[in-house]
Amino acid sequence: MLSYEKLFIDGAWVAPLDGSIEETINPATGKPWAKVAFGGARDIDKAVEAAKRALSGPWGKMTAIERGTLLRRLADLYQANANALAELETKDSGRALRESRMDVGSHHQWYRWFASVAETRRGNTIPIDDTVHAYTSEVPVGVVGAITPWNVPLMITAWKLAPALAAGCTIVLKPAEQTPVTSLEFARLVEEAGFPPGVVNVVPGIGSIAGAALSSHRDVDKVSFTGEGQTAKTILQNSTGNMKRFSFELGGKAPHIIFEDADLEQAINAATNSSWALCGQSCALGARVLVQRSVYERVVEGFAERAKQVKVGNPSDPSIHMGPQAHGEQLSKTLSYIQSGVDEGARLVSGGKCLTEGDLAGGFFIEPTVFADVSNNMKIAREEIFGPVACLIPFETEDEAIAIANDSEFGLASGLWTRDMGRAHRVSSQIKAGMVWVNTYRYIRWSTPYGGMKASGWGRENGLEAMSQYLEVKTTIMSTTSRFPNAYAVEKE
């Protein structure tokens, strides 16, 4: 069993002050595979103090070029260790190794790109008249509390830390209690890269204890949270003391629209992948597949055929397509939604059962599941399942597809397939979502803003927009005459 019995605070590995040593579970076996230090409120205090102190230390005095150099060094180390990190993430989260390798293998690009952004970002001059010189500059927000989820912990760490560090902020990272291991491995790379003490601090812990202490801390200037909407509301309620900033990336129930003129083979490739990737545990996946009636049964048949091709098993096997749900609670939640779909009258085309035979015994495995004839008012169409459950909804017209797509409290991502570029522009412009993919799906890069509308969150990850959320704009106005009239002078007669 691996051991991670120290927290990373102020550039040092330290035992928890009021936390504990907890076992983390491998979802493929249901058994512990690592021991991890969990911090409490006093550990969060210590980490925030270190982060605040680092702002006025060597880190705060570094130029953007010097910060960029450190970020590139971190990127090099990350790239060199990507395979090992991917294997750890698979054991911690249950994600298929082939997915982990592809994803983790790209993360270094975030640190490289934001290093370049740090070095090239500029302020503006504001033309007024020749009596003043007015300009803007950007300064870091300050101490950032970064709270990451259990489905893709390393990816979301890159999304939050790369722009925050490029901006000159300092970080206290609190990973989800279910998947803490890779965050501590990441801390070792930060240490090796040579970041000054206190710039990055990593404190795993229980959300209601360590997460609550971090998000409500008066010396935390910004909270960046990815997770459930209810948790975001709790963070807001508990964090009003110092007017801190927030960015939230929350849930989704993305519509994935297939029109009758689409290349159906390619559309089904994308729609099945975006239903079952990460065992369905991603808020951007196309959970609602809207299909035009004339091709509806062909798409249903395509889903059923692809479901049979999905290899479910030990995620550490590179040939496996889909691993287990990340923990037992999520498996139970997914099964309850499947039963709800059956009870509400949706047609269960395939899947829907736990897999418990042979090597899968003890793990949290479930079959890829397909529901057809789903109505958009059913629970499985309205609520985020976070499991490998595809919900196929028929529609007749373009206007009906748009109406169904927008009839959701969520607005994170969406997709559509059509050969008609006029239709592509019309429909994409009317979908209320932060991201629309046309004739592709889940194409995400460091330079493309990502985030949601409505209940899917506030703010954006990735792109220049992400870095803006870690910066404050300062306006400076300098007089060129150094003259200021005496408003109280006695007027001469």
Side-chain angles (χ1 to χ4, degrees), residues 349-393:
V349 175
S350 63
K353 297 184 180 67
C354 283
L355 297 172
T356 58
E357 296 183 1
D359 293 341
L360 305 188
F364 309 130
F365 295 93
I366 189 170
E367 296 173 316
T369 300
V370 182
F371 276 110
D373 305 341
V374 175
S375 166
N376 200 52
N377 59 12
M378 291 180 181
K379 186 176 180 180
I380 57 173
R382 303 208 69 80
E383 299 182 13
E384 187 174 41
I385 298 173
F386 234 57
V389 181
C391 299
L392 276 62
I393 303 173

Side-chain angles (χ1 to χ4, degrees), residues 16-37:
L17 292 174
D18 61 356
S20 58
I21 305 299
E22 301 289 338
E23 292 180 336
T24 185
I25 303 298
N26 182 338
T29 63
K31 297 178 181 178
W33 74 284
K35 291 183 178 180
V36 180

